[in-house]
Amino acid sequence: METTCSPSDRRDELACKRMREAVAAWEAALGSRHVILDESERRAAESATYPTRQSIPVILRPGNRAEIQEILRIANRFQVPLYAVSTGKNWGYGSRVPSAGGCALVELHRLNRIVAFDERLAYVTVEPGVTQRQLFTFLKENGSKLWMDATGASPDCSLIGNTVERGFGHTPYGDHFANCCGLEVVLPDGEVARTGFAGWKGAHAAAVYRWGVGPSLDGLFTQSNLGIVTRMTVWLMPAPEYFQAFFFRCEERHGLGPLVDALRPLRLNGTLRSTVHIGNDYKVLSGIRQYPWEEAGGRTPLPENVMSRFRRQLQFGHWNGSGALYGTKAQVAEARRLVRGALRGNVGRLQFLDENTLRLAERFAKPYRWLTGWDLSRTLELARPVLGLMKGIPAEQTLGSVYWRKRGPIPAQPDPDRDGCGLLWYSPVAPLEGSHVERASGIATEVLTRHGFEPMISLSLVTDRAVACVVSICYDRAQAGEDGRAMACYEELGRSLTEAGYPPYRLGNMPVKGAGSDAIGEKLKRAFDPAGVLSPGRYARVD
Amino acid sequence: METTCSPSDRRDELACKRMREAVAAWEAALGSRHVILDESERRAAESATYPTRQSIPVILRPGNRAEIQEILRIANRFQVPLYAVSTGKNWGYGSRVPSAGGCALVELHRLNRIVAFDERLAYVTVEPGVTQRQLFTFLKENGSKLWMDATGASPDCSLIGNTVERGFGHTPYGDHFANCCGLEVVLPDGEVARTGFAGWKGAHAAAVYRWGVGPSLDGLFTQSNLGIVTRMTVWLMPAPEYFQAFFFRCEERHGLGPLVDALRPLRLNGTLRSTVHIGNDYKVLSGIRQYPWEEAGGRTPLPENVMSRFRRQLQFGHWNGSGALYGTKAQVAEARRLVRGALRGNVGRLQFLDENTLRLAERFAKPYRWLTGWDLSRTLELARPVLGLMKGIPAEQTLGSVYWRKRGPIPAQPDPDRDGCGLLWYSPVAPLEGSHVERASGIATEVLTRHGFEPMISLSLVTDRAVACVVSICYDRAQAGEDGRAMACYEELGRSLTEAGYPPYRLGNMPVKGAGSDAIGEKLKRAFDPAGVLSPGRYARVD
């Protein structure tokens, strides 16, 4: 027990005493094998992909909702804080590390049941431990004709975890929080609440109608510290008759604005029903390979002449996009015509690809190159997992890019937290307008470059009117001084973008800066969690 | 002043004294011409389309947000309750009548500015007094290529009022609350809060990205008494290249289930992007004409043999539906093929109609009848306003049906509250499955018929997975005993449907029954409105 708490003054001593008593109570409630005091396990949980100082005195692994309720009651009794994660793979946003020091970490991966499934109405109801992989396998094993939406993150990410962080994916169900309902939540005082019609005994529409009657409360439990979500219904998409992906590239650094403006009408009129993702050259290269140390002569950041050689050699543009079309053959054909028309003159190359074409291309990549001069093989290597994501197939490969600046090879079982991968994500939101997207990505490029990092940027047209710009600061935590430089860069990036009018869509374990007063947030926290035991500081606003 | 309060005991006397003091303070704050004590105005506001007993001591008409803040501060100072409405045309759900007696009525129609408009990103930001008609006119006058979504209610209904009640319309933007963001809200304590990025100074995505960062709070201010919404961004739809409506009818009473099941896949796969509305024969007849007293020999409810004669004569079915297709010519053509395929064998007649066909048909209705034997003229009379609604044109005509059982003609300026029109709406939600929709509408039919009312039912496929069944109890308040019979019918209808698992999507000034405990609701009300001054009892749960 001594390892979990090292008091430096009397106040700390009292806190330590309370935590010790709470741990004893938790051991009695959960069984001691689910109350982890082991130092190496705690140290691992304290590691994110950027420097953090928050210590974790104990890890709790409840097996069901009743145990979570008991955990919270005990926390209130002893006035000790806790921090809940689903599977804790929130890489780039803080992993499992709490937003405040001294929190017991509550991991929910043992709650991993798919508790309901309806093929006709196209939904599943899941617990927080259910991962992307698990749902995908479940659907396959049940011969389901439904597609899930997957994020590009690890297949072992929690569906609920991603949804309550308001993550997004690649299909028409890509805005995850817009495609769920019926939350079951353990409130900080240990009470259980259910949102929408899930709160009504026997309501048939509990899993299909979102708002219920009376105030709609789902939003309260996303990006918040007002409750622990223990169940959620996730809507699924019926597999379309036909599916086609498209890939495009834009050779001009300044081509981004017109490109975004050309896509907006297709998003707004429903032709593009899913997110279009656009990545810059740095983003693409980091997806293909690790940092080219040799070509760069060991220097960082990557010199432009090296980058430009890769663009030519691997045939990608300054901006590189992908999207997908879903429907009947005729619906897709018409959408293809519209996409082609919109992108004409705005992109250097536009390529449509379906499963058949891809299989064919994989077979004939070499002769194709010989005929056309275009080397498909690299494109195909990148295309396969992206094509999968567009059909809701979780991708194993995407984790590789986190190892961009690492000197060694990517391990067979990657673990960015363990392996000292440096990754900070900052994701400002801009209106779906060329000028705004150019301005936000311009700021990011300038700040990252000045701090010695490659300005990796992807732009996701997440809704009909907005773009989430995901900016990655990718570095090697093993390099002396890099942690500090990355944090300084991150601070400036956040400040600059917020001041320019582009606050982020998500933050993880960092505080929210620049938002101004928060009358409602404070009222809510006091009302739900007067003792402040649950995830203190999470999405808290600071000046 | 004596008219506003008639104390019957000492507690009432104290309440009267406080209300008198509050009125004086409100007069000082708003100017006395916006503080209405006139008895006839108050009596009018106390009238809904069903019996209510709640008295209104005073009506307040603030002109801006600051005055609303002051109204609430005064309410808290003197501990008097108020009830806020936008334009107050919540017919069938309680009109302007508060959910509790003795509330000052706050009417917001003077806040009627369209404060922002963006053609490219397709939105307007409005105040609560902005009506459907006002926005429609505004868009026309600005030569906008955007369509609003209109409900079938009066053109003089408030956009915000309808949205915070979670009303729905006819276009792909029909789920109103799903297509808005950036709420400005005066909280019960007089503080102002803004949701999403609207709360961030200078955030460019305030009007285009819904969730913001941190908990999403929009839902808190719908169907609730936690704040007065003073501003909201409403998303608009770019006018499609082409538009086509479809109308179908089903001659079999038992054809509803298969019909709903046939439509579900088209809703789920995105072919039908807007609500399909299905009305039964009673619903249709009440839209065409008032009660056929002569044909029914003065009896109520309408005998089946009279109804069946009307079905034949006016050529509608037991179930009658409409929907619309939006897109390019090719997109609509493909959707038409899919709708035709899905409905084949499930409907007796399916008719597609666009603006050109309609104009032509209107011109050639008589020769067409001569050629085909099908009398289009009645269909056209009904089709024109429905077609308009599908394009976001508010309809004047829909109010007529409220006068169904009235003996006199419909006045040129209809006012259901003033004219003693009896209307109670109860709107259970069912999954988008034939068996559920049949069961819910079966219960409604049985209960209404047994109580002597025509079972008017419409089924709206409001989302991809759910149906809102709007059941209308339409009667004449001037007939002795009818008020009581209608309320008894309403009570039983609500109880039966809730017990069967079909709670309503909306209630208005009635309490929520059958929901069970409400841990969160109570916490929220205490946190936001400790003195309970704002709209007490609104969406309150009772046993």
Side-chain angles (χ1 to χ4, degrees), chain A residues 132-182:
Chain A
Q132 302 201 95
R133 189 195 304 278
Q134 186 183 348
L135 177 57
F136 181 73
T137 307
F138 174 88
L139 292 174
K140 215 160 56 177
E141 285 175 359
N142 281 272
S144 173
K145 295 275 187 295
L146 301 172
W147 287 358
M148 60 182 280
D149 187 273
T151 72
S154 161
D156 299 313
C157 286
S158 157
L159 295 168
I160 286 184
N162 184 271
T163 303
V164 299
E165 286 301 293
R166 301 203 292 256
F168 49 84
H170 296 70
T171 73
Y173 284 53
D175 184 356
H176 290 172
F177 179 53
N179 290 286
C180 71
C181 76

Side-chain angles (χ1 to χ4, degrees), chain A residues 326-349:
Chain A
Y326 305 83
T328 61
K329 279 252 179 189
Q331 285 172 334
V332 171
E334 174 64 357
R336 190 169 57 232
R337 183 183 74 82
L338 296 169
V339 168
R340 197 170 267 143
L343 293 185
R344 187 170 297 133
N346 291 307
V347 298
R349 188 179 275 272

Side-chain angles (χ1 to χ4, degrees), chain A residues 307-369:
Chain A
M307 188 72 233
S308 110
R309 217 177 313 136
F310 276 114
R311 279 199 302 269
R312 262 197 321 279
Q313 185 193 325
L314 301 178
Q315 298 186 306
F316 54 84
H318 274 285
W319 301 103
N320 308 274
S322 62
L325 309 171
Y326 305 83
T328 61
K329 279 252 179 189
Q331 285 172 334
V332 171
E334 174 64 357
R336 190 169 57 232
R337 183 183 74 82
L338 296 169
V339 168
R340 197 170 267 143
L343 293 185
R344 187 170 297 133
N346 291 307
V347 298
R349 188 179 275 272
L350 172 63
Q351 181 80 23
F352 292 88
L353 211 59
D354 65 11
E355 279 294 339
N356 287 334
T357 328
L358 183 61
R359 265 193 297 274
L360 214 66
E362 281 167 344
R363 220 167 129 194
F364 294 105
K366 268 190 192 158
Y368 182 85
R369 185 186 185 178

Side-chain angles (χ1 to χ4, degrees), chain B residues 16 73 81 163 246 274 283 371 397 404 429 437 446 519 535:
Chain B
C16 280
R73 286 191 207 106
T163 304
F246 60 94
S274 63
K283 186 81 186 175
L371 279 166
Q397 298 85 340
W404 166 247
V429 181
V437 172
E446 193 279 319
S535 304

Side-chain angles (χ1 to χ4, degrees), chain B residues 346-361:
Chain B
N346 291 307
V347 297
R349 188 179 275 273
L350 171 65
Q351 182 80 22
F352 291 88
L353 211 59
D354 65 12
E355 280 294 338
N356 287 335
T357 328
L358 184 61
R359 267 195 296 273
L360 214 68

Side-chain angles (χ1 to χ4, degrees), chain A residues 371-408:
Chain A
L371 280 167
T372 66
W374 195 30
D375 183 5
L376 270 178
S377 58
R378 304 302 305 182
T379 310
L380 294 175
E381 203 173 297
L382 279 175
R384 173 57 69 191
V386 177
L387 214 72
L389 282 171
M390 290 165 173
K391 303 171 69 176
I393 304 171
E396 300 278 356
Q397 298 85 340
T398 49
L399 215 51
S401 64
V402 180
Y403 288 78
W404 167 247
R405 284 266 195 110
K406 297 301 285 185
R407 300 268 175 168

Side-chain angles (χ1 to χ4, degrees), chain A residues 120-122 166 173 175 189 191 204 211-216 219 222-223 236 271 328 331 334 433 465 500-501 504 523, chain B residues 120-122 166 173 189 191 204 211-216 219 222-223 236 271 328 331 334 433 465 500-501 504 523:
Chain A
R120 287 209 296 175
L121 290 166
R166 301 203 292 256
Y173 284 53
D175 184 356
D189 59 10
E191 281 189 82
H204 300 295
W211 313 129
V213 61
S216 169
T222 59
Q223 296 193 354
L236 304 169
T271 297
T328 61
Q331 285 172 334
E334 174 64 357
E433 278 205 350
R465 289 169 180 76
K523 279 190 218 301
Chain B
R120 286 210 297 175
L121 289 166
R166 301 205 291 258
Y173 285 53
D189 58 11
E191 281 190 81
H204 301 294
W211 314 129
V213 62
S216 170
T222 58
Q223 298 192 352
L236 304 170
T271 297
T328 62
Q331 285 172 335
E334 176 63 358
E433 277 205 350
R465 289 171 179 77
K523 277 189 220 305

Side-chain angles (χ1 to χ4, degrees), chain B residues 280 282 301 405 424 426 428 438-457 471-474 484-500 502:
Chain B
N280 70 357
Y282 295 98
R405 284 266 195 111
L424 279 154
Y426 192 85
E438 278 188 348
R439 196 160 151 230
S441 63
I443 292 169
T445 301
E446 193 279 319
V447 172
L448 266 76
T449 306
R450 185 153 41 73
H451 282 82
F453 300 101
E454 289 73 40
M456 292 177 191
I457 299 171
V471 183
S472 318
I473 304 175
C474 246
R485 278 193 291 277
M487 291 310 289
C489 178
Y490 179 85
E491 287 293 324
E492 186 179 337
L493 183 67
R495 196 172 52 247
S496 303
L497 284 167
T498 300
E499 278 172 12
Y502 307 106

